[in-house]
């Protein structure tokens, strides 16, 4: 028993924990009165229902009831929040959303349909691009962190840190970076100017010639007939070629010859309006980038946990069998990580489909409708502007819920497989 | 005075009946052991007495009052669990006083009782520790102490020693015995170990498959087992059973023709059995003697000898292929492969069981 | 915690006695780039939050809060910018800029304020000093109420109230349910578990409208309770706690029952303390959820006096682009609590989330 070796262990008592324990006990005793009386009345076993009650009340009122209500509202019109005052419009809302000559071109839809389909296509594009990129980067990061890396805890913590930040904070930070007069533009401008002035300096010319000489020397070595190779290697090393060329360049420059590397100059930097530029894909690019930046750490963590759950002795057994490392990766790591991968994929897909906060604060769905996501459509239909179209929002929700339900069911099946296997 | 009575108690889990109508009366101050193989229902029975498991039918009476519907908390009993079930987040002192606080016992009284229990169980120095900082034996004592401070009407022990090593177990057996001496309370103790049962109990209840096989003093169970099961369960090493048929029924004895050859006489009442009926002859290993020559009842081909120094065991097979063990005092020269003649105990130490029902033939009055 | 040994061992120790494999270099390079990508924006914002409004508008990419030195004009009517004048002979002097004249500038040497001279503008370079502007932080928080465009303390209190109350209620309500679902046998228990877990299938984003109507009907619009109450029963919490409570041996509860404890007392004194590991994971999750919550508060809370920090911040961002200095400072204050929690509980949080797979 471990206790024997812990004879000198500190006593359990501690002033702070004592005080907390005392307060805890007091609070429990105060609440004990009514509960004890109740227990006396209904019996110990029925107390289970008492313990369940608060939870079920909240669940019922704020999850189940709204879910049912949602279907009803989807079939009503008007702007009232009072159910009785909402006229029944049958499939009217759905017709407005779905009555398009072409879903691929939302402009052909009614107003609500335009907003809905724009959101759907944007969200779909977002999800289809963002999820694979994020999962791959998360996987690569997790695999690297699963190596025998020093300071793993530190790296893991830093990568995870953005997950803790609120979407609003994330959006404010990146908005500030991506403004026209923002840090990114300033950095790129400085870098361009720096490069353009660097290439006119003499040391740059000498260094460039040296490098060119070095690589040319190596290249020469490759194409040289084998018979001449020993001579070249002993007498005429690439390094010497490079150094020689560099010295010649330097001397010539001192004599007044001018070497021009102007052809390397970059055009003057013109600041980009990253988040507002309507003619480019930059806004969507940055939306995807920022969202990935903020959520990568979470999926990395899950994948890392999955990797670390793979028993080490499997790899040792593989090593005993003389299995190459790469083969062990493809035949052991990936198959055993597959259940976690599926969970991560589906979970990130579901989350991506519900993206709202970051994008809404970062771009507000703009420029125009370029980054307007489906949940923003629901939100704006119901809560923005003078016409509060709750019916449209509810009908859209029903359609989105259908998509999410399918994704969730896939996830549950995958999770069950993981638990079972 | 606290007495306990079980009246036709049954227990059903779903569709399976695990306790089949048990009657039992326990007097004040008795040390009762429920013993039986795992799955026999002894723990369930104890938990029903404790109030942790509702009684399906029948009645549990404490001090002549039916307590079927009294919650565990109000029956005035205390229980020592197999896993000790010490509250891991509380110090030993808090573990001991938790129950008393629930009963709104005055503080000085709690302190007095905790101090007394700690002294009695020699754990004064452990009071501020957490259970995780204690050894197995210390935890065991705390668990007992938690029951002691409650000053319960009846102590219930659910296999309390099964997690200890052999040496500690013997020591704790003695301590629990002393505790019973000192407190004089009624105690009910569940175990699967017949040695514990024999050494500790005033009376033993042997259970099997939810039925009470026999209830009595330890030596009565040893000397007069009611059936094959009790005969086989009580006593170590196990009693040998040899198949045979009744050869002749006399006034005060029965002659049995063994399958292994030979005929032995067992003094008992025939109980209506007729010649030719199948029977089992029971002989304890310690009652068998080696012999050579004609007085041997059976011949044993020895397959294994165990020499323990002070005593020896022979294991082997009879001509009927039945296994048989013999305990000999001292050391022996018999080796594996030897064939030895055996005399199957004094007639008074032979037991005869009905081959079909397993019931013992009643001894002569 | 990020310990110093972590860092130093990373710097000094090698992966294997055989030295560095090229994949090691690649790994560390990859990690370092990633860390820069994560930390640089936040660090930069942190550094910029003490810059002057002008430095922010000028988009000065230097990390430190440089700004031009100014001195009051002789008549005290205005501030004059200070420049470094490189004289034709190469020596330098500090001058105060009075005004332009053509391509030249009228300045006076600080050493000789009475004599105004004309110098070519190309000979002037700004004299910058490091001047942290802590008023970016103090103005919106403890500055006078009238000048306050961003009611930080009010938002902070609202956010704290929502976070603390919602987390406490979440813990108690979900732990009670988990206790009932893990330690009692009653009719319909398994069905109940399925029902509760299946609410995981209803993401709050798709029931916005009916939820809004329900909350509005209950009179909780523009009330912090409208944010708190719907959030306290989370299927995630019930599930997580129940899984943990299932591992607590029943014998402990039975021992407590024999000890005369009521069911409530068993819950309060035995179950809750023993579930502390799971409770703390849920507490961290809940704090994160509630503190960072945006969409639901955005719908329920429309009046600025009940805004949470996130709402205040996003509104502030939308309204006042020229108040970047305040916005950055307030952003830092908003992420500070979460960051502090993370720094101190980092190990706990990452292992807790990795083990439960929930966010």
């Amino acid at each position: 028993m471990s206790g024997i070796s812990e004879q000198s262990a500190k006593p359990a008592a501690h002033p702070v924990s004592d005080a907390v324990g005392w307060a805890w006990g007091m609070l429990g005793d105060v609440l004990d009165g009514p509960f004890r009386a109740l227990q006396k009345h209904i019996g110990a076993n029925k107390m289970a229902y008492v313990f369940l009650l608060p939870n079920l009340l909240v669940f019922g009122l704020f999850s189940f009831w709204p879910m049912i209500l949602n279907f009803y509202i989807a079939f009503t019109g008007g702007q009232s929040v009072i159910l009785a005052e909402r006229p029944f419009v049958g499939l009217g809302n759905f017709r407005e959303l779905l009555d398009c000559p072409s879903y691929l071109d939302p402009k052909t839809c009614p107003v609500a349909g335009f907003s809905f389909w724009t959101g759907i296509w944007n969200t779909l594009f977002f999800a289809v691009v963002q999820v694979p990129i994020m999962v791959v980067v998360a996987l690569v990061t997790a695999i690297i962190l699963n190596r025998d890396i020093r300071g793993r805890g530190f790296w893991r913590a830093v990568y995870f840190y953005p997950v803790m930040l609120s979407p609003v904070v994330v959006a404010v930070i990146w908005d500030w970076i991506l403004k026209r007069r923002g840090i990114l533009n300033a950095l790129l401008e400085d870098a361009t100017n720096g490069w353009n002035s660097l290439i006119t300096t003499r040391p740059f010319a000498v260094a460039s010639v040296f490098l060119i000489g070095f690589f040319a020397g190596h290249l020469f070595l490759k194409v040289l007939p084998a018979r001449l190779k020993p001579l070249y290697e002993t007498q005429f090393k690439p390094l010497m070629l490079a150094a020689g060329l560099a010295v010649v360049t330097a001397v010539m420059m001192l004599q007044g010859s001018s070497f021009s590397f102007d052809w390397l100059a970059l055009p003057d930097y013109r600041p980009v309006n990253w988040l507002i530029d309507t003619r480019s894909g930059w806004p969507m690019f940055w939306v995807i980038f920022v969202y990935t930046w903020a959520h990568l750490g979470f999926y990395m963590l899950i994948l890392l946990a999955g990797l670390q759950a793979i028993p080490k002795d499997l790899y040792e057994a593989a090593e005993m069998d003389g299995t190459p490392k790469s083969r062990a990766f493809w035949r052991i790591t990936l198959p055993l990580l597959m259940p976690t991968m599926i969970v991560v994929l589906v979970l990130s897909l579901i989350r991506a489909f519900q993206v709202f906060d970051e994008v809404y604060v970062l771009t507000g769905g703009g420029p125009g409708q370029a980054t307007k996501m489906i949940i923003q459509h629901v939100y704006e239909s119901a809560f923005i502007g003078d016409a509060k179209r709750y019916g449209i929002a509810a009908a859209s929700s029903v359609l989105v819920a259908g998509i999410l339900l399918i994704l969730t069911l896939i996830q549950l099946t995958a999770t069950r497989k993981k638990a079972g296997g | 005075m606290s007495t306990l009575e079980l009246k036709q108690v049954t227990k059903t889990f779903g569709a399976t009946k695990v306790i089949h109508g048990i009657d039992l009366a326990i007097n004040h101050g008795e040390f009762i052991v429920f013993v039986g193989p795992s799955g026999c229902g002894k723990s369930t029975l104890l938990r029903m007495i404790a109030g942790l498991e509702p009684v399906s039918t029948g009645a549990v009476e404490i001090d002549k009052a039916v307590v079927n519907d009294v919650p565990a908390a109000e029956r005035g009993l205390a229980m020592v669990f197999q896993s000790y079930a010490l509250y891991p987040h509380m110090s030993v002192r808090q573990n001991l006083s938790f129950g008393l606080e629930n009963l709104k016992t005055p503080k000085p009284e709690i302190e007095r009782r905790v101090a007394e229990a700690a002294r009695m169980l020699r754990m004064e120095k452990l009071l501020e520790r957490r259970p995780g900082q204690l050894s197995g034996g210390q935890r065991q004592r705390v668990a007992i102490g938690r029951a002691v401070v409650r000053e319960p009407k009846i102590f219930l022990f659910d296999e309390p020693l099964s997690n200890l090593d052999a040496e500690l177990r013997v020591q704790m057996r003695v301590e629990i015995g002393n505790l019973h001496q000192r407190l004089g309370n009624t105690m009910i103790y569940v175990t699967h170990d017949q040695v514990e049962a024999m050494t500790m109990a005033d009376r033993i209840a042997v259970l099997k498959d939810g039925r009470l096989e026999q209830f009595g003093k330890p030596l009565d169970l040893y000397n007069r087992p009611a059936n094959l099961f009790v005969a086989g369960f009580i006593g170590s090493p196990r009693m040998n059973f040899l198949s045979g048929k009744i050869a002749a029924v006399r006034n005060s004895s029965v002659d049995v023709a063994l399958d292994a050859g030979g005929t032995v006489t067992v003094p008992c009442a025939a109980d209506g059995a007729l010649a030719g009926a199948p029977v089992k002859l029971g002989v304890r290993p310690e009652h068998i003697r080696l012999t050579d020559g004609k007085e041997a009842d059976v011949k044993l081909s020895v397959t294994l000898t165990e020499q323990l120094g002070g005593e020896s065991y022979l294991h082997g097979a009879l001509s009927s292929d039945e296994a048989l063990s013999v305990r000999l005092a001292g050391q022996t020269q018999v080796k594996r492969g030897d064939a030895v003649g055996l005399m199957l105990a004094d007639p008074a130490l032979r037991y005869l069981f009905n081959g079909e029902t397993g019931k013992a033939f009643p001894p002569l009055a | 915690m990020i310990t110093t040994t972590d860092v130093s061992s990373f710097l000094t120790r090698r992966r294997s006695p055989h030295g560095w494999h090229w994949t090691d270099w690649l790994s560390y390079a990859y990690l370092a780039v990633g860390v820069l990508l994560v930390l640089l924006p936040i660090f930069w914002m942190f550094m910029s939050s003490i810059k002057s409004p002008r430095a922010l508008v000028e988009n000065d990419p230097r990390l430190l809060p440089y700004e031009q030195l100014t001195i009051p004009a002789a008549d005290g009517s205005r501030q004059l910018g200070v420049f470094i004048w490189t004289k034709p002979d190469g020596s330098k002097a500090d001058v105060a800029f009075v005004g332009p004249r053509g391509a030249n500038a009228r300045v006076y040497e600080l050493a000789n304020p009475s004599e105004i001279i004309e110098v070519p503008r190309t000979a002037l370079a700004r004299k910058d000093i490091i001047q942290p502007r802590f008023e970016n932080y103090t103005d919106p928080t403890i500055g006078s109420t009238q000048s306050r465009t961003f009611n930080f303390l009010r938002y902070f209190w609202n956010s704290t109230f929502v976070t603390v109350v919602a987390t406490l209620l979440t813990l108690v309500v979900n732990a009670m349910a988990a206790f009932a679902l893990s330690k009692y046998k009653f009719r319909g228990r398994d069905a109940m578990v399925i029902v509760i877990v299946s609410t995981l299938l209803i993401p709050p984003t798709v029931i916005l409208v009916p939820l809004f109507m329900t909350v509005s009907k209950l009179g909780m619009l523009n009330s912090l309770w409208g944010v708190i109450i719907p959030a306290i029963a989370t299927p995630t919490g019930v599930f997580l706690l129940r899984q943990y409570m299932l591992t607590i041996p029943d014998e402990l509860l039975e021992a407590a029952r024999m000890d005369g404890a009521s069911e409530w007392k068993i819950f309060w004194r035995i179950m809750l303390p023993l579930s502390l590991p799971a409770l703390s994971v849920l507490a961290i999750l809940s704090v994160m959820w509630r503190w960072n919550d945006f969409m639901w508060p955005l719908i329920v809370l429309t009046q600025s006096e009940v805004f949470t920090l996130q709402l205040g911040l996003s509104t502030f961002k939308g309204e006042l682009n020229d108040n970047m200095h305040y916005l950055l400072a307030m952003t830092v204050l908003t992420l500070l609590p979460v960051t502090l929690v993370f720094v101190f509980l980092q190990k706990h949080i990452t292992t807790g989330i990795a083990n439960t797979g929930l966010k």
Side-chain angles (χ1 to χ4, degrees):
Chain A
M1 285 284 150
S2 63
I4 293 168
S5 59
E6 290 173 26
Q7 293 289 332
S8 60
K10 272 181 280 178
H14 184 274
V16 175
S17 62
D18 270 3
V20 171
W22 181 82
W24 187 260
M26 281 305 287
L27 187 55
D29 287 350
V30 168
L31 292 167
D32 191 36
F35 278 102
R36 191 182 273 267
L38 193 61
Q39 182 181 338
K40 199 134 206 146
H41 201 67
I42 62 171
N45 234 330
K46 293 244 167 51
M47 285 301 285
Y49 297 107
V50 176
F51 285 117
L52 264 180
L53 190 68
N55 208 301
L56 288 186
L57 265 181
V58 178
F59 265 139
L61 208 51
F62 299 105
S63 280
F64 283 110
W65 173 239
M67 190 178 59
I68 297 159
L69 206 55
N70 202 17
F71 283 99
Y72 177 73
I73 298 168
F75 294 101
T76 61
Q79 298 197 23
S80 174
V81 291
I82 297 152
L83 280 180
E85 293 174 9
R86 298 185 60 80
F88 191 77
V89 296
L91 288 172
N93 292 321
F94 289 98
R95 217 169 280 135
E96 255 192 84
L97 292 174
L98 301 175
D99 201 8
C100 308
S102 163
Y103 294 133
L104 291 175
D105 184 7
K107 285 201 190 82
T108 61
C109 302
V111 179
F114 170 68
S115 172
F116 178 78
W117 284 104
T118 308
I120 286 283
W121 290 123
N122 279 339
T123 309
L124 218 55
F125 179 82
F126 174 83
V128 166
V129 175
Q130 191 268 335
V131 168
I133 290 176
M134 180 172 68
V135 172
V136 167
V137 177
L139 181 63
V140 169
T141 314
I143 287 171
I144 287 180
L145 283 181
N146 195 41
R147 292 166 60 98
D148 195 3
I149 286 284
R150 298 291 161 208
R152 183 187 290 144
F154 165 78
W155 302 109
R156 193 180 57 180
V158 170
Y159 277 95
F160 186 78
Y161 175 54
V163 178
M164 301 285 298
L165 300 181
S166 82
V168 177
V169 164
V170 168
V172 169
I173 294 174
W174 282 99
D175 180 56
W176 171 69
I177 291 172
L178 298 172
K179 278 189 313 174
R180 190 171 177 283
R181 298 182 63 87
I183 281 297
L184 183 63
N185 277 330
L187 277 183
L188 289 175
E189 187 166 2
D190 278 5
T192 311
N193 293 343
W195 171 256
N196 286 351
S197 61
L198 178 72
I199 57 174
T200 61
T201 61
R202 283 177 181 177
F204 179 82
V206 174
S208 303
V209 170
F210 177 83
L211 274 180
I212 291 168
F214 185 72
F215 284 111
H218 266 287
L219 207 64
F220 188 49
L221 188 65
K222 283 258 188 306
V223 297
L224 208 65
R227 158 170 77 80
L228 291 172
K229 234 173 207 171
L231 179 74
Y232 175 77
E233 272 177 345
T234 49
Q235 305 293 322
F236 204 62
K237 292 175 179 158
L239 201 63
M240 283 175 61
L241 176 68
L245 277 175
V247 168
V248 169
T249 314
V251 169
M252 283 172 73
M253 280 169 75
L254 285 177
Q255 306 255 308
S257 307
S258 73
F259 281 83
S260 174
F261 282 86
D262 288 353
W263 51 275
L264 279 174
L266 295 166
D268 277 348
Y269 182 76
R270 293 179 45 190
V272 181
N273 236 331
W274 300 112
L275 294 176
I276 304 173
D277 192 30
T278 44
R279 286 153 305 167
S280 67
W282 284 121
M284 186 54 110
F285 170 87
W286 285 112
V287 162
I288 291 173
F289 178 89
V290 171
Y291 186 84
T292 307
W293 183 87
H295 295 273
L296 178 81
F298 173 68
Y299 299 97
M300 182 275 295
L301 198 63
I302 303 288
L303 287 170
L304 183 58
L307 282 172
Q308 294 188 329
I310 300 175
K312 290 276 172 291
D313 43 2
L314 284 183
Y315 293 104
E316 284 161 8
E319 211 172 324
M320 296 300 288
D321 291 345
T323 315
K325 282 238 154 69
S326 57
R327 192 173 151 80
F329 176 79
W330 291 107
R331 300 301 296 275
I332 298 176
T333 311
L334 274 194
L336 288 177
L337 194 63
M338 223 44 206
T340 317
M341 276 292 283
I342 291 170
V343 170
V344 161
L345 262 175
V346 181
L347 200 62
S348 55
L349 207 56
I350 293 172
R351 295 264 169 80
F353 229 88
Q354 299 180 66
V355 61
F356 173 77
D357 299 358
E358 289 90 348
V359 182
Y360 185 72
V361 183
L362 191 63
T363 67
Q369 311 261 333
T371 57
K372 180 169 175 174
M373 301 297 168
I374 184 64
I375 299 298
Q376 189 183 344
H377 155 76
V378 174
Y379 168 73
E380 287 182 344
S381 306
F383 304 111
I384 293 292
D386 296 329
K388 309 269 195 265
R389 307 207 62 190
Y390 297 120
I392 290 289
S396 307
S397 296
V398 168
L399 296 176
V400 174
I403 300 173
L404 288 177
L405 194 68
I406 294 167
L407 293 177
T408 312
L409 286 179
I410 296 173
Q411 186 211 6
L412 285 186
T413 330
T415 319
R416 185 152 331 125
K417 272 207 193 107
K418 183 188 173 195
Chain B
M1 293 294 282
S2 21
T3 61
L4 176 78
E5 210 165 330
L6 304 183
K7 289 181 173 165
Q8 276 303 308
V9 168
T10 69
K11 177 70 189 175
T12 318
F13 286 120
T16 44
K17 202 166 189 183
V18 293
I19 301 283
H20 302 264
I22 286 184
D23 287 299
L24 208 61
I26 295 169
N27 305 322
H28 174 71
E30 269 193 304
F31 197 111
I32 301 296
V33 173
F34 292 173
V35 70
S38 57
C40 71
K42 55 191 189 297
S43 280
T44 309
L45 195 60
L46 189 76
R47 292 163 55 79
M48 283 156 73
I49 295 170
L52 295 172
E53 208 67 77
V55 178
S56 298
T57 65
V60 177
E61 291 182 9
I62 296 174
D63 294 338
K64 305 285 173 209
V66 178
V67 294
N68 284 18
D69 296 323
V70 179
E74 291 161 29
R75 291 192 187 185
L77 313 180
M79 183 151 163
V80 177
F81 290 85
Q82 181 170 12
S83 67
Y84 315 143
L86 300 178
Y87 312 123
H89 57 299
M90 298 183 189
S91 68
V92 170
R93 184 189 296 283
Q94 289 166 328
N95 262 286
L96 295 184
S97 51
F98 183 69
L100 296 174
E101 285 165 12
N102 290 332
L103 299 173
K104 307 260 185 284
T105 314
K107 258 222 150 84
E109 173 70 6
I110 294 180
E111 272 166 29
R112 188 188 64 75
R113 288 206 214 170
V114 169
E116 194 183 313
R119 190 182 45 75
M120 194 191 300
L121 293 160
R122 301 193 313 283
M123 51 187 192
E124 293 102 323
K125 287 185 184 136
L126 307 178
L127 281 176
E128 304 312 325
R129 299 236 189 122
R130 295 262 171 104
Q133 299 166 313
L134 302 177
S135 70
Q138 289 168 334
R139 282 179 215 186
Q140 173 67 74
R141 284 215 290 276
V142 176
I144 293 173
R146 188 169 65 180
V148 168
V149 293
R150 294 273 313 283
E151 297 180 358
K153 290 182 198 161
I154 301 174
F155 281 90
L156 308 175
F157 295 88
D158 188 5
E159 306 221 21
L161 304 184
S162 58
N163 287 335
L164 299 179
D165 58 40
E167 202 179 325
L168 261 176
R169 205 178 305 174
V170 174
Q171 193 186 324
M172 285 310 297
R173 224 152 68 189
V174 175
E175 284 201 34
I176 293 176
N178 290 342
L179 192 72
H180 181 236
Q181 289 278 313
R182 199 162 351 160
L183 300 175
N185 287 42
T186 310
M187 294 188 175
I188 302 175
Y189 186 107
V190 163
T191 181
H192 63 270
D193 179 352
Q194 61 95 17
V195 177
E196 266 175 37
M198 291 297 283
T199 51
M200 300 174 79
D202 292 329
R203 285 199 287 170
I204 299 176
V206 182
L207 292 150
K208 185 196 168 207
D209 296 335
R211 288 192 174 83
L212 183 62
E213 297 283 320
Q214 193 171 1
F215 182 42
K217 293 192 171 129
L219 287 183
D220 286 350
L221 264 54
Y222 180 87
N223 292 331
R224 283 191 287 279
N227 52 42
L228 268 177
F229 177 76
V230 176
F233 197 82
I234 301 291
S236 175
R238 218 169 156 263
M239 184 185 277
N240 297 298
F241 296 111
L242 307 177
S243 305
K245 289 191 169 57
I246 294 180
V249 177
R250 294 174 217 267
N251 256 352
S252 58
S253 65
V254 173
D255 284 358
V256 177
L258 295 174
D259 292 0
T263 304
V264 293
T265 304
V266 183
C268 66
D271 203 19
L274 300 172
V279 289
K280 293 262 186 196
L281 175 73
V283 188
R284 295 199 185 275
E286 54 267 41
H287 296 152
I288 302 178
R289 272 173 297 152
L290 289 192
T291 179
D292 37 43
K294 292 183 219 85
E295 48 177 21
D297 295 317
V298 288
K299 275 225 178 314
L300 180 76
S301 335
V302 177
T303 52
L304 177 69
T305 26
E306 293 174 327
Q307 303 263 20
L308 301 182
E311 55 187 5
S312 315
Y313 293 93
L314 304 180
H315 303 281
L318 303 176
S319 61
S320 59
D321 260 358
E322 288 168 302
L324 188 122
S325 306
V326 181
R327 200 194 93 169
L328 302 171
Q331 303 171 3
T332 177
Q333 303 302 316
V334 179
K335 300 186 301 295
R336 175 164 31 158
D338 289 355
V340 292
L342 301 178
M343 211 174 97
L344 294 178
D346 289 341
L349 296 173
R350 295 171 183 167
Y351 305 92
L352 198 59
F353 303 94
N354 186 315
E356 276 146 11
T357 64
K359 280 184 72 176
F361 280 71
L364 294 169
Chain C
M1 289 292 299
I2 302 163
T3 61
T4 44
T5 45
D6 263 1
V7 176
S8 67
S9 70
F10 158 58
L11 292 173
T12 54
R13 292 220 308 264
R14 289 177 170 195
R15 182 169 162 266
S16 72
H18 313 301
W20 289 72
H21 191 246
W22 64 270
T23 54
D24 291 326
W25 287 108
L26 207 63
S27 302
Y28 285 110
Y30 175 93
L31 291 175
V33 169
V35 163
L36 276 185
L37 259 177
V38 168
L39 290 187
L40 210 57
I42 296 164
F43 178 66
W44 210 310
M45 181 196 59
F46 181 75
M47 294 305 290
S48 298
S49 69
I50 47 171
K51 287 185 180 178
S52 68
R54 178 141 175 237
L56 286 170
V57 169
E58 284 173 352
N59 202 13
D60 184 346
R62 285 175 293 186
L63 266 184
L64 292 173
Y66 284 101
E67 59 181 87
Q68 192 176 16
L69 177 67
T70 58
I71 55 163
D75 57 3
S77 62
R78 61 195 177 120
Q79 293 282 322
L80 302 178
V82 177
F83 289 82
I84 300 168
W85 173 34
T86 311
K87 294 179 185 171
D89 63 1
S91 64
K92 292 175 194 268
D94 288 354
V95 296
F97 181 85
V98 181
R101 174 161 296 168
N104 290 343
R106 292 166 58 233
V107 300
Y108 62 82
E109 285 194 50
L110 296 191
N112 183 12
S114 54
E115 184 191 350
I116 290 184
I117 51 180
E118 255 182 56
V119 298
R121 280 209 216 171
T122 48
L124 295 180
R126 259 173 54 162
K127 185 178 175 73
D128 282 346
I129 53 163
I130 295 174
Q131 176 68 54
R133 294 289 191 118
F134 295 113
E135 57 266 38
N136 292 352
Y137 284 88
T138 53
D139 283 354
T141 51
I142 52 177
S144 66
T145 327
Q146 291 87 358
S147 70
R148 219 182 286 167
T149 46
F150 185 88
N151 199 344
F152 180 84
L153 291 185
R154 154 73 54 191
Y155 303 156
F156 187 86
W157 163 250
N158 289 344
S159 269
T160 308
F161 181 79
V162 166
T163 304
V164 170
V165 173
T167 298
L168 287 179
L169 287 176
T170 300
L171 291 182
V172 172
V173 166
N174 288 330
M176 279 167 73
F179 178 47
L181 293 174
S182 62
K183 291 298 172 195
Y184 290 90
K185 295 186 204 92
F186 55 89
R187 205 206 291 256
R189 182 183 73 170
D190 296 340
M192 203 82 84
V193 172
I194 291 170
V195 163
I196 286 179
V197 172
S198 70
T199 46
L200 279 169
L201 298 180
I202 316 171
T205 45
V206 301
I207 52 169
L208 289 179
V209 173
L211 194 56
F212 172 77
M213 289 183 176
T214 310
V215 167
S216 133
K217 178 127 193 168
L218 294 172
M220 293 196 291
L221 286 189
N222 276 314
S223 150
L224 294 178
W225 293 104
V227 178
I228 293 171
I229 300 292
I232 60 176
T234 70
T236 321
V238 174
F239 186 68
L240 191 148
L241 291 173
R242 176 171 179 267
Q243 292 306 99
Y244 191 84
M245 286 181 180
L246 285 174
T247 67
I248 295 175
D250 290 346
E251 280 201 346
L252 280 178
L253 277 66
E254 290 170 349
R257 247 163 234 152
M258 295 298 291
D259 264 346
S262 67
E263 299 303 304
W264 170 261
K265 201 150 197 180
I266 291 173
F267 169 68
W268 194 261
R269 294 288 301 274
I270 309 288
M271 277 321 258
L272 283 186
L274 290 181
S275 307
L276 213 55
L279 285 172
S280 60
V281 170
L282 182 60
I284 289 167
L285 287 175
S286 171
V287 165
M288 227 166 91
W289 288 333
R290 298 287 81 80
W291 186 264
N292 293 340
D293 210 0
F294 177 65
M295 181 161 54
W296 184 240
L298 180 68
I299 291 168
V300 175
L301 310 174
T302 52
Q303 290 163 3
S304 68
E305 58 267 31
V306 286
F307 272 6
T308 60
L309 260 182
Q310 311 300 338
L311 287 186
L313 207 56
S314 74
T315 313
F316 193 61
K317 169 184 177 284
E319 281 170 359
L320 303 147
N321 276 324
D322 49 342
N323 272 343
M324 207 64 200
H325 53 302
Y326 288 149
L327 182 61
L328 292 184
M330 293 308 98
T331 306
V332 170
L333 285 186
T334 307
L335 66 79
L336 209 57
V338 180
T339 306
L340 287 179
V341 167
F342 185 63
V343 167
F344 285 111
L345 298 178
Q346 175 266 122
K347 194 149 215 163
H348 201 86
I349 292 172
T350 46
T351 50
I353 287 176
N355 288 341
T356 55
L358 302 163
K359 185 180 67 166

